[in-house]
Amino acid sequence: MAQIAKIHIPATGRTIELPTGLFINNEFVPSADSQETLSVINPATEEEICKVVAASGKDIDIAVKAARVAFKTTWGKNVTGFERSRLMNKLADLIERDQQELAELETLNNGKPVKVARDFDIGDSIQCLRYYAGWADKILGETIEVDNKTKLAFTRHDPIGVCGQIIPWNYPIMMWAWKVAPALAVGCTVVMKPSELTPLTALKLSQLVKEAGFPPGVVNTVPSLGAIGGAALSAHMDVDKVAFTGSTVTGRKVMEAAAKSNLKKVSLELGGKSPNIVFESADLEQAATWAALGILYNTGEDCTAGSRVYVQDSVYDSFMELLIEKVRSTPIGDGFDETVTSGPIISKIQFDKVWGYIESGKQEGAKVLVGGERRAGKGYFVDPTVFADVKHDMKIVKDEIFGPVLAVGRFSTEEEAIELANNTSYGLGAGLHSTDANQCMRVSSALEAGTVWVNQYNILHNNVPFGGKKQSGIGRELGKQALDEYTSVKAVHWNFGEKGSWPL
Amino acid sequence: MPAVFTPQFNNDSFKGQATVNTGLFINGQWVESSSGTFIDVVNPSNGKLLTKVSEGTAKDVDLAVAAAQKAFDTVWGSHCPGSRRGKLLNKLADIMESRFDELCAVEALDNGKTFQWAKNVDVAFSISTIRYYAGWADKIHGQTIETDKTKLAYTLHEPFGVVGQIIPWNFPLLMLSWKIGPALATGNTVIMKPSELTPLTALMAADMIREAGFPPGVFNLIVGYGNTVGQAITEHKGIEKVAFTGSTLVGRKIMEAAAKSNLKNVTLELGGKSPNIVFNDADLEQAVNWTAHGLFWNHGQTCCAGTRIFVQSGIYDKFLAKFTEKVKAIKVGDPFAKDTNQGPQVSQIQFDRIMSYIESGKQQGAKVHIGGGRIGDEGYYIEPTIFTETKPDMRIVQEEIFGPVGVLIKFEDEEDVIHQANDTLYGLAAAVFSQDINRALETAHKLKAGTAWVNCINTLDPNVPFGGFKQSGIGRELGEYALHNYTNVKAVHVNLGQKM
């Protein structure tokens, strides 16, 4: 198979040259022992873009070894925070330089609109790298007073070591940045397994990693199937930590493999069935706007998608009128079409899954207010779908659908809303809309979610931590907290004055 | 439009031209001073005039404060996200980097330090300090604090607003970077007065700040005298905070003026008479090398210089012999010659002051072990000088000389030397040389100084705090600590249900 794929983008006339090998030790290489490839599909056309090398278990092993050597010699404690900061800022500069090209590649592979990919996904990713570049020389431990006459006690925040990172297909570049940035800032080395559905931008970013000047082995990229590469990293005896973003089902497997192998540290960002609550005092137009964004941004393929909306009885009709109008007017189509707000579902498998849920919603007796009809033609397009009159035990209310499908319920009291919202094994995000400040505080306090939005939804910032409660995850990304996921605290007790004696 | 000074360089260290604006930098523009007067900038290598720069006055300070306040209220402070402030600081660092050698050359020309030192330390450290604080700009965190169910309590770390910064002539560009880094990162606007002796690299930096895209009024530079511009800044009712680096004598005046005007917040980095203690079990060669650096770096014009060198009697003779050889090897001369270690002192006044201390040492009965005189007859060159056989009450032992002059004192007892080391009204820094790490740490912990060096001296990093105990200062620069100097804590209590 070709070492460099020439990828042509009809909409813009651009041709992108993309290495299709595995990125190990700053080189693109074929698999050590396998001929397997991944067929990368354009979800808007259902056609193959190109093939890339699929890493085998042996390749994972080679990548881990490269990362280990780098950690022991050119990275880890052998590089200063100042140098890590410099390299990360350089990488951010290069991504900025190639922003448009990366956006078009992201759209081709993932389907999201080019403008969104460029200004939001990649724009935020550049900021993310710069944010963590700023932390690199600020990894502070503490000196702790024990006994001033005899002991100096202090902590060092050491980098954990070699980190396996497994990322999903919904925000390929942004998930890459969220993972790589804090790991590098602290001094860890990385073996990154991008999703087998969307490996292309990860490979392009690897080229930029090399161009920025990172030593070989610091970042390694090994596209492969989850069951091969993801499993291998989770079970590897020489990987110190695995960070995974994806489904809760797979997250369990990652944690299990970590426990069974070497008790490697685990952080997980999993699924959600996040509630968006509209109280009667809310600015209804705004609440409807945020609710629509909450389920339709990124075509609902978002772990924090506000996929359950609960509306207080007294404002139900007025709110629903506003919401339905906004949902109906959301154009879903080809990401290269500038009038489009959201793109196709990522793959055939996901497409079938989403339709399965829409069918089950109908079968279980929910009422279809918008959508629910299949589109003709090529591309995995699912039009926005809104269900009302839902019951709590319906699949569309309990399960994560990961598409533009919304379940709307109603409530009368604040207690009831909180009860409905928290009645889930997930706990990733939640939103509430109200102009009563005390209510906002009470409800935001009561909601069992790692992120609570008040009068907003789905807006994140690189410096505010993000993650799940309950079965939505373990650990936090973004903000200062992400650094903790990649550091290991060593306490040093330096005795300079105490004479020991034995026997006591 | 004020003139632009374009010195030409054609020497072993730098061939090229520099560009230095000579006006005042107020509200993003280069302007003449309101008095129309000028200050002479002198080349300390030969005492000759380099150029004239505009002399600012109290009126110019008023104009700058108005501009800075407007900027704070409209385009800076809470109106500019931290990530953008960080980006601008990084851009400034990029521009400084692109004119690296030009900055080194002008610093050497104006201050007299060698081009090599400016390159290895001053300019490099200035850039890394700016980059370090660029990284903090979007990380100014307050706290949320749990009290009880009826209350949401949190703190905001807000910028003061308009801050005044007065910097000295010993590390002109470096002192500028230490000041603007944390001040701008946290969202303050700045009125800066560089030293009238060494304004040139500050003038270059101001234009680079303009080029980087900082909004007008965020940074303002006014060259002027301490008793006019400095005084105006310290007394100004529109300035919420003043940061000063310089002599303890002037530091007192600053604090007094701040108290008398509007009780503005004050941080001070003042003088020192830092002890350097070398125990018998020190690595002799290393101790000698570091000690020389500790005393003679920057021609002794360093607040934290290790100017009182205590050597334990067991190695005193050996140390003195090796140290003497080291001192003899110091090459004093043209700052632009590649093999020069030490250039001239910064000005005639400083030269006279140092020479008078040397004279007082002789008169009070100390022995000039080496040096003690002027070099050449133009420029302000002084021989590296060491006194021995001193007594504790001598002026050369008590007072800060700020020149290449140190005292070497023999000691016997550990308790005694710690006592002698601490017996000073200063407390900026201290150093200990010993290969017994237990003794080194114990001693370091007992020394009353803001920086304690163990087996090193005069080495700093942008992320490690620096500042003085006792009369050496108030507050800390560098590191995360510097951010506290430029933020005001607001506690917000939101009542969620407590009925009165």
Side-chain angles (χ1 to χ4, degrees):
Chain A
M1 56 161 282
Q3 283 287 60
I4 307 259
K6 282 193 175 27
I7 298 171
H8 183 64
I9 303 190
T12 61
R14 186 193 293 273
T15 301
I16 297 176
E17 297 206 339
L18 184 71
T20 56
L22 307 173
F23 182 72
I24 300 178
N25 263 337
N26 277 5
E27 298 301 330
F28 287 94
V29 297
S31 164
D33 63 350
S34 150
Q35 300 298 319
E36 295 293 317
T37 57
L38 300 170
S39 172
V40 185
I41 307 292
N42 175 342
T45 62
E46 303 182 29
E47 280 160 20
E48 183 182 275
I49 301 170
C50 66
K51 291 193 191 333
V52 303
V53 172
S56 66
K58 178 126 203 267
D59 295 314
I60 298 294
D61 208 43
I62 293 171
V64 171
K65 280 198 176 63
R68 177 62 64 196
V69 168
F71 185 72
K72 281 190 164 154
T73 59
T74 57
W75 205 246
K77 292 186 186 185
N78 304 296
V79 66
T80 62
F82 308 117
E83 175 65 359
R84 297 197 297 268
S85 180
R86 188 188 73 78
L87 288 169
M88 289 175 69
N89 270 318
K90 182 86 181 116
L91 177 59
D93 289 344
L94 294 176
I95 295 174
E96 196 167 45
R97 178 194 71 191
D98 295 349
Q99 198 163 355
Q100 178 69 27
E101 183 181 49
L102 281 163
E104 291 175 22
L105 189 59
E106 188 85 317
T107 295
L108 195 72
N109 196 181
N110 166 282
K112 67 180 72 202
V114 177
K115 233 183 17 236
V116 171
R118 185 190 60 228
D119 298 341
F120 297 128
D121 293 51
I122 299 173
D124 288 346
S125 300
I126 292 166
Q127 268 305 106
C128 183
L129 276 161
R130 294 210 169 111
Y131 174 75
Y132 284 104
W135 272 122
D137 53 8
K138 302 172 178 66
I139 310 301
L140 305 171
E142 296 180 323
T143 55
I144 303 155
E145 187 172 347
V146 178
D147 179 330
N148 283 328
K149 286 186 145 52
T150 63
K151 182 176 277 190
L152 172 65
F154 58 94
T155 56
R156 299 280 295 268
H157 284 211
D158 294 337
I160 283 183
V162 174
C163 300
Q165 302 188 319
I166 304 164
I167 57 175
W169 43 259
N170 57 346
Y171 294 92
I173 294 177
M174 203 162 82
M175 294 294 98
W176 189 93
W178 283 24
K179 290 272 184 295
V180 165
L184 292 181
V186 161
C188 292
T189 53
V190 168
V191 178
M192 158 75 67
K193 187 201 93 57
S195 166
E196 60 274 19
L197 297 178
T198 53
L200 303 184
T201 44
L203 291 168
K204 202 93 192 64
L205 289 168
S206 302
Q207 280 185 307
L208 299 181
V209 164
K210 180 174 179 174
E211 190 184 339
F214 285 86
V218 172
V219 176
N220 306 276
T221 308
V222 287
S224 68
L225 295 173
I228 310 263
L233 282 172
S234 308
H236 206 287
M237 294 302 287
D238 200 32
V239 166
D240 300 301
K241 186 247 165 52
V242 66
F244 168 81
T245 296
S247 69
T248 297
V249 164
T250 310
R252 289 174 184 282
K253 291 184 191 163
V254 169
M255 194 168 170
E256 204 183 316
K260 281 178 166 163
S261 54
N262 65 346
L263 271 175
K264 56 173 63 61
K265 311 293 169 284
V266 176
S267 54
L268 305 171
E269 293 282 350
L270 308 176
K273 191 70 185 183
S274 304
N276 217 339
I277 310 173
V278 182
F279 289 97
E280 63 191 3
S281 70
D283 173 336
L284 293 184
E285 199 279 333
Q286 280 295 292
T289 299
W290 291 113
L293 180 154
I295 189 56
L296 298 178
Y297 186 74
N298 217 46
T299 318
E301 297 174 308
D302 189 311
C303 45
T304 48
S307 47
R308 293 181 291 148
V309 168
Y310 295 105
V311 190
Q312 197 153 26
D313 277 327
S314 43
V315 293
Y316 184 88
D317 293 332
S318 341
F319 174 81
M320 287 310 288
E321 198 182 320
L322 291 162
L323 178 65
I324 288 169
E325 173 52 40
K326 288 184 191 291
V327 170
R328 273 201 223 282
S329 61
T330 305
I332 290 192
D334 185 315
F336 286 101
D337 176 349
E338 297 199 351
T339 64
V340 148
T341 299
S342 298
I345 297 292
I346 188 66
S347 69
K348 181 87 172 64
I349 293 178
Q350 284 297 121
F351 178 82
D352 290 342
K353 191 160 167 262
V354 172
W355 273 108
Y357 278 111
I358 293 176
E359 292 307 326
S360 98
K362 292 177 187 173
Q363 272 164 35
E364 288 188 309
K367 181 171 168 202
V368 179
L369 296 181
V370 183
E373 298 302 320
R374 285 187 187 249
R375 245 197 230 192
K378 282 250 167 229
Y380 309 122
F381 297 102
V382 175
D383 288 305
T385 302
V386 178
F387 284 101
D389 297 350
V390 301
K391 290 199 182 38
H392 210 76
D393 55 358
M394 289 178 177
K395 283 214 190 69
I396 55 169
V397 178
K398 291 202 317 206
D399 296 359
E400 185 181 41
I401 300 173
F402 231 68
V405 180
L406 179 64
V408 179
R410 45 201 306 162
F411 67 91
S412 64
T413 65
E414 182 182 297
E415 287 69 31
E416 199 189 327
I418 292 169
E419 167 80 35
L420 284 167
N422 286 340
N423 188 356
T424 164
S425 60
Y426 291 115
L428 192 54
L432 72 105
H433 304 268
S434 163
T435 52
D436 175 346
N438 285 356
Q439 179 173 61
C440 291
M441 272 314 303
R442 281 193 307 270
V443 178
S444 64
S445 253
L447 288 169
E448 290 162 0
T451 295
V452 176
W453 282 282
V454 179
N455 295 325
Q456 192 174 74
Y457 204 80
N458 248 359
I459 304 294
L460 295 176
H461 309 270
N462 287 308
N463 53 359
V464 181
F466 173 85
K469 289 186 188 262
K470 295 160 46 175
Q471 294 191 36
S472 283
I474 293 174
R476 289 293 174 270
E477 299 202 273
L478 300 184
K480 186 179 185 185
Q481 281 73 5
L483 301 172
D484 294 338
E485 306 297 341
Y486 293 95
T487 47
S488 167
V489 177
K490 172 189 291 174
V492 179
H493 299 240
W494 194 319
N495 177 21
F496 56 81
E498 183 175 343
K499 299 289 177 208
S501 60
W502 192 259
L504 295 171
Chain B
M1 177 69 185
V4 176
F5 171 49
T6 51
Q8 308 291 327
F9 297 89
N10 187 9
N11 54 57
D12 287 343
S13 295
F14 183 62
K15 291 180 179 12
Q17 178 181 284
T19 306
V20 185
N21 295 74
T22 65
L24 306 181
F25 186 68
I26 299 180
N27 209 21
Q29 310 239 310
W30 287 105
V31 295
E32 305 280 356
S33 89
S34 54
S35 62
T37 52
F38 294 88
I39 293 177
D40 287 349
V41 182
V42 170
N43 183 343
S45 302
N46 56 22
K48 298 199 167 73
L49 181 71
L50 282 174
T51 185
K52 291 180 190 296
V53 297
S54 294
E55 178 194 352
T57 65
K59 179 142 184 257
D60 297 307
V61 172
D62 280 340
L63 291 171
V65 170
Q69 187 63 51
K70 178 143 185 252
F72 183 74
D73 291 337
T74 56
V75 298
W76 202 242
S78 60
H79 304 279
C80 181
S83 54
R84 174 153 163 75
R85 298 197 298 263
K87 197 157 184 206
L88 287 169
L89 283 165
N90 265 320
K91 183 85 181 117
L92 171 61
D94 290 343
I95 297 172
M96 289 169 77
E97 217 157 55
S98 72
R99 292 170 66 184
F100 195 96
D101 282 3
E102 190 189 332
L103 283 165
C104 295
V106 173
E107 193 78 307
L109 183 72
D110 198 5
N111 167 280
K113 67 181 71 213
T114 66
F115 182 92
Q116 214 41 53
W117 273 115
K119 185 170 168 156
N120 291 344
V121 181
D122 296 61
V123 179
F125 195 175
S126 298
I127 292 170
S128 61
T129 299
I130 303 267
R131 288 207 193 284
Y132 175 74
Y133 284 104
W136 271 120
D138 56 2
K139 302 172 176 65
I140 311 300
H141 298 176
Q143 300 177 337
T144 58
I145 303 155
E146 300 302 321
T147 55
D148 64 48
K149 271 190 144 78
T150 67
K151 181 178 281 194
L152 169 66
Y154 59 91
T155 59
L156 295 172
H157 288 205
E158 303 181 348
F160 278 97
V162 180
V163 305
Q165 302 188 315
I166 302 168
I167 55 173
W169 46 258
N170 57 345
F171 296 93
L173 187 66
L174 188 59
M175 293 295 99
L176 181 141
S177 73
W178 283 24
K179 291 278 186 289
I180 64 170
L184 295 178
T186 48
N188 296 280
T189 52
V190 170
I191 315 288
M192 168 156 311
K193 185 196 96 59
S195 166
E196 63 275 17
L197 294 178
T198 54
L200 301 186
T201 46
L203 290 162
M204 289 174 77
D207 205 56
M208 292 178 190
I209 286 169
R210 184 195 56 77
E211 193 186 327
F214 284 83
V218 170
F219 176 82
N220 306 275
L221 187 80
I222 303 182
V223 183
Y225 293 102
N227 56 12
T228 53
V229 174
Q231 190 72 18
I233 288 173
T234 357
E235 288 174 344
H236 208 288
K237 297 254 168 75
I239 292 180
E240 292 293 327
K241 186 257 164 45
V242 67
F244 170 79
T245 296
S247 69
T248 296
L249 186 70
V250 176
R252 288 174 185 282
K253 292 188 191 162
I254 305 260
M255 196 165 167
E256 206 181 313
K260 283 181 169 162
S261 56
N262 63 347
L263 268 176
K264 56 174 60 60
N265 187 290
V266 176
T267 47
L268 306 170
E269 293 281 349
L270 307 175
K273 192 72 182 183
S274 302
N276 177 357
I277 304 174
V278 182
F279 284 101
N280 284 337
D281 61 3
D283 174 334
L284 183 62
E285 190 176 328
Q286 281 300 295
V288 164
N289 291 349
W290 280 106
T291 297
H293 174 67
L295 176 59
F296 295 114
W297 178 42
N298 213 42
H299 325 169
Q301 299 171 137
T302 305
C303 46
C304 51
T307 46
R308 290 183 295 147
I309 304 161
F310 295 93
V311 183
Q312 204 164 23
S313 58
I315 54 156
Y316 184 88
D317 293 334
K318 279 199 186 132
F319 183 95
L320 186 58
K322 272 194 185 290
F323 189 59
T324 305
E325 288 315 302
K326 196 99 234 172
V327 176
K328 281 185 181 156
I330 295 175
K331 197 162 185 315
V332 184
D334 171 15
F336 289 95
K338 286 212 150 137
D339 57 352
T340 303
N341 308 119
Q342 177 179 317
Q345 306 307 122
V346 79
S347 70
Q348 183 68 57
I349 292 179
Q350 283 302 313
F351 175 89
D352 291 341
R353 199 160 157 265
I354 297 162
M355 293 308 288
S356 100
Y357 271 110
I358 291 175
E359 194 50 43
S360 90
K362 292 175 187 171
Q363 275 177 19
Q364 288 190 307
K367 177 178 170 197
V368 179
H369 176 75
I370 183 170
R374 185 186 188 176
I375 298 179
D377 50 18
E378 73 164 13
Y380 316 122
Y381 296 91
I382 297 180
E383 293 178 311
T385 300
I386 296 289
F387 280 95
T388 54
E389 291 171 35
T390 59
K391 289 197 181 47
D393 58 355
M394 290 179 178
R395 290 185 63 214
I396 55 170
V397 179
Q398 289 292 321
E399 299 176 29
E400 185 180 41
I401 299 172
F402 230 66
V405 180
V407 301
L408 207 70
I409 300 167
K410 191 190 295 194
F411 77 94
E412 188 60 63
D413 175 54
E414 192 172 321
E415 283 305 309
D416 174 53
V417 77
I418 291 172
H419 178 80
Q420 281 192 66
N422 287 336
D423 185 19
T424 162
L425 43 81
Y426 291 114
L428 190 53
V432 182
F433 287 86
S434 166
Q435 294 189 90
D436 176 349
I437 196 64
N438 290 347
R439 163 193 255 169
L441 288 183
E442 276 192 54
T443 307
H445 291 188
K446 286 181 184 161
L447 290 167
K448 294 188 182 141
T451 293
W453 281 296
V454 176
N455 292 326
C456 59
I457 186 169
N458 266 354
T459 160
L460 296 174
D461 301 276
N463 50 1
V464 182
F466 176 84
F469 281 30
K470 298 166 23 179
Q471 295 191 37
S472 284
I474 293 174
R476 289 291 171 273
E477 298 201 276
L478 299 185
E480 182 180 10
Y481 294 78
L483 301 174
H484 299 307
N485 297 341
Y486 293 97
T487 49
N488 227 344
V489 178
K490 172 186 286 171
V492 182
H493 300 241
V494 183
N495 179 16
L496 309 169
Q498 189 187 20
K499 300 285 180 213
M500 210 18 154

